[in-house]
Amino acid sequence: MLKDLISVAAIESGLEEPNARHAVGIVFNAAQRQGGDLIERIFAQVPGARTLSASTAKLEGTPIGAIAQLIEQTPGGRQHVTFDMFLRLQRAGLGHSEIASLMSTISRVLGARFSLGETALIAALFEGSTPAIPADDHGRSSAVA
């Protein structure tokens, strides 16, 4: 499944297969850093996906560890991870059209596997469990509106 995803991504985005593999790894690693439930399902059902994410993280020097994960799973941290993903894809040589094609391919191929529409898959891939906002003594959220 992973090999097919990478092959289709390479063909549709016009990238060489090693570059497409690296780009898919960047996307998987960003999703993993955000802590979404779907990426864990992908790792469980797509052999090699977790390894690709980990090897890409090592090559890219992305933050790892429990503290980095806690920070990256806050709303501001998730936004940073998403921006960082696009920056890393651009540094890997992808332009806007290649990134759009890559995301569309990932959405379509994995969306079919996980019974999600293309837009729903991308949203679910980067949706993490929102950290609970502590309530004050009166049961109200302490977040600033």
Side-chain angles (χ1 to χ4, degrees):
M1 170 95 195
L2 181 60
K3 189 175 182 178
D4 292 339
L5 171 63
I6 292 166
S7 293
V8 172
I11 291 166
E12 292 184 2
S13 63
L15 298 170
E16 297 292 325
E17 239 178 83
N19 295 346
R21 180 179 181 77
H22 186 70
V24 169
I26 290 170
V27 173
F28 283 177
N29 183 252
Q32 182 180 15
R33 290 167 59 198
Q34 293 203 14
D37 297 331
L38 179 59
I39 193 66
E40 289 303 320
R41 288 178 50 207
I42 291 170
F43 288 162
Q45 295 181 31
V46 179
R50 185 182 303 274
T51 302
L52 177 59
S53 176
S55 63
T56 302
K58 187 174 181 176
L59 284 171
E60 289 287 322
T62 57
I64 57 172
I67 293 173
Q69 191 174 29
L70 285 173
I71 292 169
E72 290 172 342
Q73 292 176 10
T74 64
R78 282 196 292 270
Q79 181 180 20
H80 170 75
V81 170
T82 302
F83 288 142
D84 183 61
M85 176 189 71
F86 286 110
L87 178 63
R88 290 176 189 279
L89 289 169
Q90 289 173 335
R91 283 186 189 156
L94 281 73
H96 296 294
S97 62
E98 290 89 2
I99 292 171
S101 179
L102 174 72
M103 299 305 271
S104 177
T105 300
I106 291 171
S107 296
R108 191 178 64 259
V109 172
L110 292 180
R113 168 82 172 160
F114 292 94
S115 301
L116 293 168
E118 291 181 25
T119 304
L121 182 114
I122 287 296
L125 193 60
F126 291 99
E127 177 183 79
S129 301
T130 305
I133 298 172
D136 65 13
D137 292 336
H138 303 287
R140 297 178 301 223
S141 169
S142 61
V144 177

